[in-house]
Amino acid sequence: MSVHEQFAEDLALYALGSLDGAERQTLETHLAGCASCRRELELLCGDLSLLSLTTAGPKPPARARQRLMSAIANEPRLPVAVPASERRQRSWWPALGWVAVTSLALVCVGLLRQNSTLQQDVASLRRQFTDQGSKLEQANEVVATMLDPEAQKIELVAAGNKPQPRGKAIYQRRNRNLIFFASNLPPLPAEKIYELWLFPANGGAPIAAGLFKPDARGSATVVNPPLPEGVAAKNFVVTVEPESGSHESPRGTAVIVGLGE
Ligand SMILES: [Zn+2]
């Protein structure tokens, strides 16, 4: 063995920065004059940093670990320069302490890595959150513009034609979302109201889908009226109804009618 065996444990402790007092001085004095122990110390320091670097890795550095463990396991030999009275009783306890210190150091390195990974995760989530926030903001602005009564809504028709009453229903059956736009509706007679109806695809009775009065230009919007779940639509129709609306079925005349599906 190239290393002076009696220094094996001290070298390991020294590499960890855990050797103090007279023992440290003794070892340093010895290191100054012993190339083979200096070499062993270099190897141990290399092993320690290797162990630290690979705590999160897939392959534990078996050789480094083994060398460290055998360094710990080396039974203490008789002291060379330190009087027996100054030298603490060698036993497994210091070695166990050393193991604890190493374990703690490795755990700390592991936690630091975990922490940095978590910080990266947080940063990535924050970016996603910001992205989604700005997308939501854009969507809200689009909806707000569409629904703003102050916004100008100008219908373009074939040149030379008079704009006709028309409507567009955008219906999402799976979550019962319905947006309905109407334009160029004729002014309502007194005590009347427009009512939107959903005609189910299964041929069931028409479902009331909102009452509305258009603005001065004949424009109106209905957003998400209460609707039963999962109804596929065959068509949408707008009728003129008494001001309180009709509930069971349309009573008035149809003003605009969808083309159906
Ligand atoms: Zn030596």
Side-chain angles (χ1 to χ4, degrees):
M1 191 169 179
S2 62
V3 66
H4 293 136
E5 286 188 2
Q6 68 268 31
F7 289 112
E9 184 185 327
D10 283 354
L11 279 172
L13 289 167
Y14 190 78
L16 281 166
S18 304
L19 194 68
D20 303 310
E23 286 173 310
R24 186 187 177 93
Q25 273 177 18
T26 306
L27 182 68
E28 281 174 348
T29 309
H30 177 76
L31 279 171
C34 177
S36 116
C37 280
R38 280 202 302 273
R39 172 80 190 126
E40 184 63 16
L41 179 64
E42 274 171 29
L43 289 173
L44 281 169
C45 289
D47 290 348
L48 274 178
S49 53
L50 194 59
L51 274 177
S52 305
L53 283 172
T54 53
T55 44
K59 276 193 297 182
R63 198 177 136 269
R65 206 180 288 273
Q66 194 184 4
R67 189 162 51 206
L68 271 170
M69 290 310 160
S70 52
I72 307 164
N74 256 319
E75 276 300 313
R77 302 302 192 269
L78 285 174
V80 177
V82 182
S85 57
E86 283 179 32
R87 198 157 179 92
R88 65 184 150 84
Q89 185 66 41
R90 291 296 181 123
S91 72
W92 274 102
W93 290 109
L96 286 178
W98 187 87
V99 170
V101 168
T102 312
S103 307
L104 196 62
L106 297 186
V107 166
C108 286
V109 171
L111 285 176
L112 280 173
R113 286 168 165 246
Q114 217 171 22
N115 190 24
S116 118
T117 309
L118 284 174
Q119 276 175 1
Q120 282 167 12
D121 287 353
V122 167
S124 147
L125 282 172
R126 193 170 288 152
R127 273 196 301 276
Q128 276 180 32
F129 186 72
T130 311
D131 283 356
Q132 286 182 357
S134 65
K135 276 181 193 157
L136 188 65
E137 207 170 303
Q138 280 176 8
N140 282 340
E141 263 178 48
V142 170
V143 173
T145 306
M146 287 168 100
L147 301 182
D148 183 4
E150 300 289 307
Q152 290 182 280
K153 299 178 184 79
I154 296 163
E155 179 119 355
L156 284 75
V157 296
N161 285 19
K162 188 172 175 282
Q164 296 296 307
R166 64 179 64 212
K168 181 169 285 252
I170 301 159
Y171 176 51
Q172 203 179 34
R173 168 189 166 186
R174 69 169 184 280
N175 45 19
R176 291 182 280 171
N177 284 335
L178 171 61
I179 302 171
F180 175 76
F181 299 101
S183 49
N184 308 312
L185 290 172
L188 281 165
E191 293 170 7
K192 295 284 185 184
I193 198 165
Y194 285 118
E195 186 156 16
L196 177 66
W197 297 89
L198 183 162
F199 281 71
N202 64 11
I207 297 161
L211 299 166
F212 60 92
K213 288 189 173 184
D215 63 17
R217 301 173 61 100
S219 299
T221 313
V222 174
V223 179
N224 289 345
L227 289 172
E229 212 165 327
V231 180
K234 180 169 185 284
N235 207 355
F236 286 88
V237 173
V238 172
T239 58
V240 178
E241 301 291 334
E243 208 159 25
S244 59
S246 298
H247 306 290
E248 302 306 320
S249 60
R251 287 179 282 176
T253 49
V255 179
I256 45 177
V257 179
L259 296 174
E261 294 203 319

